[in-house]
Amino acid sequence: MKKIIFWTLLLSGISLSAQHISGISRIGKLSDGLIAVEKNGEWGFINPGGDLVIDFRQDIAVRENPPAFSEGLCLIKETKEGITYYGYMDKTGKTVISPAFLNATSFSNGLAFAIVRSKTVRGKNEYLDMDIIANEFDEVMINPKGEIVRYLRQLKGILLSEKRYKQPRIEAELLSPHLVGTRDKNGMWNIYKF
């Protein structure tokens, strides 16, 4: 009787194996226990068994290579008024650091580099009834909670206008677990211990 049920299920087209995912246009490499897969312009993640563990979505950040998890976190993005901001999600797909950085790197040795914007109200324009805001930009090191560990350098010349915006580059590099190097505006390196 068991054989008859097995063959009936097999011949009727009901699969007894794991899920099948088709229409994948790009596949990443196994990283931190997950593999990025792209379908219809959206990215998701599968486990080594082929199960989709993070559904396909548009907010996963893609650079030159397919997205990847590093130290349990993956870059995500959100566009506001034509400007892309970066944050991080965990391996369940939950946002753990909201997109607030103008650029960000993957985590390595518990740290990532990011570019933050801080706004200071400098006064009030009484004719327009608007605050006068000064934007300041810094390249920083952050921890997995999104907290700034160290300010590395100030950045100038960033315009937050959709038509004139150019994503600022991160120049910092982790040289060792307690040493970071960053380039200044003249292309010279500064090395910091932390």
Side-chain angles (χ1 to χ4, degrees), residues 170-190:
I170 293 176
E171 297 287 345
E173 291 183 28
L174 192 61
L175 305 174
S176 74
H178 298 286
L179 206 61
V180 65
T182 185
R183 288 186 211 234
D184 62 21
K185 62 184 177 184
N186 300 319
M188 302 302 287
W189 285 94
N190 295 304

Side-chain angles (χ1 to χ4, degrees), residues 9-64:
L9 289 173
L10 189 61
L11 294 175
S12 68
I14 297 174
S15 174
L16 298 176
S17 63
Q19 70 184 22
H20 172 79
I21 304 171
S22 60
I24 301 298
S25 54
R26 289 175 66 193
I27 298 174
K29 296 184 188 288
L30 179 66
S31 176
D32 222 12
L34 296 175
I35 304 163
V37 290
E38 181 186 26
K39 181 177 183 176
N40 299 326
E42 296 182 337
W43 286 89
F45 285 88
I46 60 174
N47 64 20
D51 300 315
L52 188 65
V53 294
I54 297 177
D55 204 2
F56 295 97
R57 44 197 272 186
Q58 295 179 345
D59 67 340
I60 297 175
V62 181
R63 304 255 166 98
E64 301 86 39

